[in-house]
Amino acid sequence: MPLCQQNTLLACFLFYIYAAASSKDANVPPSTPIVVNYPVFNPAQVEPPASLLLSAFPGELEISDYCSQLLRIFGQRYVAYVNCLVPSARPVKVCQNCFASYGSLVTTYTNISSDQMGPGNESCRDSLLRGDRLMLVYMLFNNLKDLWSKSACDRCIMDGFQSLTNDTLYFMSTLNQTLSCFERYQLGNHTELCTNCKSAYKNLNALYSGMESNQTLCIDIEDGMNMTRRLWSKNFNCSFPREETVPVIAVSSFMLFLPIIFYLSSFLHSEQKKRKLIHPKRAKSYSSSLVNIQDKQS
């Protein structure tokens, strides 16, 4: 204790702590690891903030039961349409397979965005479409609407999303006949396939060209025609002269021979002009020589 008498109480306290730690370290073998136990964080034991416990906002900020029902129906029909689109991506059949589900989605969105009042004289347009900056319902619907427009499905579907148009049904029937012909002869000689399926393939091409001119093509028809042409030319190595190439060849041949015709006509025209110019000179010289001979005789 003499040391404690010469120093302050704090220094004495630190000295005894150091001495106690040194004595403990001396009793621990050098090879024994020192394990430090840290406290374990358990999220289940932590109480969440009070803001996460709110299940609802005040009544005046909540949407009505009618709007909640429309929103739930919109979500169900949105999922139904997307579930139809994914399996119809390849080969492309998004118009003929999914027009009914898209029509139901359009009907629901029209009810949401309409100015007409629902039960209780309330409209859901402002609360569901413009209630926040994200405008999620509006963005979701417009993404699918853009997809429908890019697919040009309106050209193949009757008004009101009732059924496919008659032109589309007829094209699909003709396409099925052509593909059935391909399946019938594809295992044999492809030369036989090219011969026996030439008429069906030619009719299909003519029908497609007519619908292209009338602007009645949708993505289903375009993809079906492209795949059929790929089968015909690449897989089966078939070909046939197209009728529209005949006028092109005729015009090209005419343009090729046009310079020759021009120079030949110019040459003949110049020769004829020379003859007209020379002929009077010869006649004049002949008449003058005849006069001279008569003078000499006289």
Side-chain angles (χ1 to χ4, degrees):
M1 296 302 295
L3 183 61
C4 295
Q5 296 175 356
Q6 297 177 1
N7 297 291
T8 61
L9 183 61
L10 179 60
C12 183
F13 179 72
L14 294 175
F15 173 77
Y16 281 117
I17 292 177
Y18 176 76
S22 299
S23 62
K24 289 182 179 181
D25 293 341
N27 296 328
V28 177
S31 60
T32 303
I34 299 176
V35 179
V36 180
N37 294 324
Y38 294 99
V40 178
F41 174 74
N42 189 358
Q45 297 177 355
V46 179
E47 184 178 359
S51 61
L52 297 181
L53 299 178
L54 292 176
S55 60
F57 289 101
E60 63 271 11
L61 297 179
E62 286 286 342
I63 61 176
S64 63
D65 294 338
Y66 171 69
C67 295
S68 297
Q69 183 180 4
L70 282 181
L71 187 61
R72 183 172 58 255
I73 296 174
F74 176 83
Q76 294 173 354
R77 294 183 176 180
Y78 186 95
V79 172
Y81 181 51
V82 173
N83 288 337
C84 179
L85 289 176
V86 175
S88 303
R90 294 301 308 163
V92 181
K93 297 180 180 179
V94 295
C95 298
Q96 55 185 312
N97 290 348
C98 306
F99 69 89
S101 56
Y102 180 75
S104 299
L105 180 64
V106 170
T107 301
T108 305
Y109 185 81
T110 302
N111 293 334
I112 293 176
S113 60
S114 175
D115 292 332
Q116 296 180 358
M117 297 298 178
N121 293 328
E122 57 180 345
S123 175
C124 301
R125 182 181 61 179
D126 293 336
S127 60
L128 297 183
L129 300 184
R130 305 174 183 175
D132 54 80
R133 180 178 61 84
L134 184 58
M135 297 188 298
L136 183 60
V137 175
Y138 173 82
M139 294 296 296
L140 289 174
F141 178 77
N142 274 272
N143 288 336
L144 295 184
K145 183 180 179 182
D146 291 341
L147 180 63
W148 179 270
S149 299
K150 292 178 180 179
S151 303
C153 291
D154 287 333
R155 299 178 178 180
C156 295
I157 308 300
M158 299 285 289
D159 294 337
F161 306 99
Q162 298 297 323
S163 64
L164 298 173
T165 60
N166 294 331
D167 292 341
T168 303
L169 292 173
Y170 183 70
F171 178 86
M172 293 302 175
S173 177
T174 307
L175 176 62
N176 291 334
Q177 293 176 6
T178 305
L179 295 179
S180 298
C181 185
F182 289 172
E183 293 177 359
R184 190 179 306 116
Y185 296 101
Q186 65 180 353
L187 299 179
N189 190 355
H190 286 175
T191 304
E192 187 178 3
L193 182 146
C194 298
T195 303
N196 295 329
C197 301
K198 179 179 178 180
S199 177
Y201 180 73
K202 185 177 180 181
N203 293 335
L204 183 66
N205 267 286
L207 180 60
Y208 181 84
S209 298
M211 296 181 69
E212 187 176 18
S213 301
N214 298 332
Q215 295 184 352
T216 56
L217 296 179
C218 59
I219 189 62
D220 294 16
I221 297 177
E222 293 177 7
D223 186 73
M225 192 69 231
N226 290 335
M227 293 182 66
T228 307
R229 287 175 173 173
R230 191 180 308 166
L231 286 173
W232 176 264
S233 59
K234 186 176 181 180
N235 293 39
F236 304 139
N237 199 23
C238 299
S239 62
F240 67 93
R242 303 178 65 177
E243 295 180 356
E244 54 265 28
T245 59
V246 176
V248 175
I249 295 175
V251 173
S252 300
S253 301
F254 175 77
M255 297 299 293
L256 180 63
F257 288 100
L258 186 60
I260 300 175
I261 297 173
F262 173 75
Y263 286 113
L264 182 60
S265 61
S266 299
F267 176 76
L268 295 177
H269 182 70
S270 61
E271 288 295 327
Q272 185 179 6
K273 196 171 183 180
K274 287 180 180 179
R275 291 178 182 178
K276 290 181 178 180
L277 292 175
I278 294 173
H279 180 71
K281 292 182 179 180
R282 290 181 179 177
K284 186 176 181 180
S285 61
Y286 176 77
S287 60
S288 59
S289 60
L290 182 61
V291 171
N292 292 334
I293 293 173
Q294 292 177 354
D295 293 339
K296 289 181 181 179
Q297 291 179 355
S298 59

